[in-house]
Amino acid sequence: AAATSEKGKFTASSTKFEQDSLFFQVEEIHQNDEILICDDLGNEWADHISFNATEKTISFIHSKFKTGNSSSASNLHDIVGQAIKNLGNMYFKEETFLKKTESFQTTSYSNSSISKFRLGDYTLLKSNLGNYLSSYTTIRKCVLCCPFISKDEIFKEFDKLKVGTPTRGHITQLFWIISSFVHSAKELNVVPVIYC
């Protein structure tokens, strides 16, 4: 809720995203992860990719900023499409991911001094990635970060659908979009999560 933009403003000397940006908020939520990579721009699989050794998770985090609270289906459509499109990438091969991220050692985010490795580094990734990928206990999460969605509002509207009370047309669309995200993730044994 503290976010007022997706990435905020940054300069060549910036080393982190602005505190009122969605990217900063995501990085705060994941500050205890072992490795956190900003994969935004270029051949991105997600805005952030995180590895948490304690929880044994690999998370693909997709962020979308819109002002205000909205139950609009169209606001959610883009981010759900992006997430579903990249679900297959969550079962990447070790060599593929290491090759993808190797250049992140020396590249920064969009002409700033913001490191692509927000937590950890390439050496740590290289030495631990095999453990994540080979462990049967590793959980993969696909996260949508949508501050424009109110969980309370959505539950209230979905409860109306549940008991057959008339709702606005876009609520049915919203239900189908969220259902598509959940079912697509679960079909690939990925845990769907929404930050709102």
Side-chain angles (χ1 to χ4, degrees):
T4 59
S5 70
E6 192 164 291
K7 301 161 194 170
K9 295 177 184 169
F10 45 85
T11 65
S13 61
S14 298
T15 57
K16 59 184 179 180
F17 294 102
E18 285 186 319
Q19 287 190 10
D20 59 357
S21 72
L22 196 54
F23 276 31
F24 180 88
Q25 300 297 326
V26 165
E27 292 177 3
E28 283 291 292
I29 291 168
H30 289 270
Q31 65 183 305
N32 294 321
D33 292 354
E34 184 180 25
I35 298 165
L36 181 63
I37 298 168
C38 180
D39 192 36
D40 184 45
L41 302 178
N43 179 28
E44 69 177 70
W45 291 354
D47 292 313
H48 287 89
I49 299 173
S50 126
F51 299 84
N52 186 300
T54 306
E55 296 176 359
K56 297 181 180 166
T57 57
I58 300 172
S59 299
F60 276 34
I61 306 155
H62 305 273
S63 300
K64 185 77 171 172
F65 180 81
K66 297 275 186 186
T67 54
N69 282 343
S70 170
S71 56
S72 166
S74 60
N75 284 345
L76 201 57
H77 188 267
D78 290 342
I79 191 170
V80 166
Q82 181 187 8
I84 290 173
K85 178 186 76 171
N86 284 296
L87 278 171
N89 288 328
M90 296 196 74
Y91 287 90
F92 54 81
K93 291 186 177 175
E94 184 174 355
E95 321 81 74
T96 305
F97 195 72
L98 290 174
K99 186 174 181 181
K100 171 183 172 55
T101 56
E102 186 175 17
S103 66
F104 292 3
Q105 298 176 89
T106 53
T107 55
S108 297
Y109 183 80
S110 188
N111 300 319
S112 72
S113 296
I114 300 171
S115 171
K116 297 283 273 179
F117 277 92
R118 307 302 299 131
L119 292 172
D121 56 27
Y122 186 74
T123 305
L124 183 63
L125 175 68
K126 197 170 182 179
S127 61
N128 288 294
L129 189 57
N131 294 334
Y132 279 103
L133 299 179
S134 64
S135 174
Y136 69 91
T137 59
T138 296
I139 298 166
R140 287 168 172 81
K141 293 183 178 180
C142 184
V143 180
L144 307 182
C145 184
C146 313
F148 54 87
I149 291 177
S150 163
K151 179 180 175 182
D152 290 341
E153 176 71 20
I154 287 178
F155 270 57
K156 188 170 66 177
E157 294 297 332
F158 284 3
D159 281 342
K160 289 180 187 174
L161 284 176
K162 194 174 177 181
V163 296
T165 303
T167 59
R168 294 164 288 169
H170 71 275
I171 298 301
T172 305
Q173 293 171 341
L174 184 67
F175 175 80
W176 284 110
I177 288 171
I178 292 175
S179 293
S180 295
F181 167 60
V182 170
H183 290 298
S184 296
K186 289 192 171 190
E187 278 179 11
L188 289 175
N189 200 27
V190 172
V191 177
V193 178
I194 300 177
Y195 296 159
C196 58

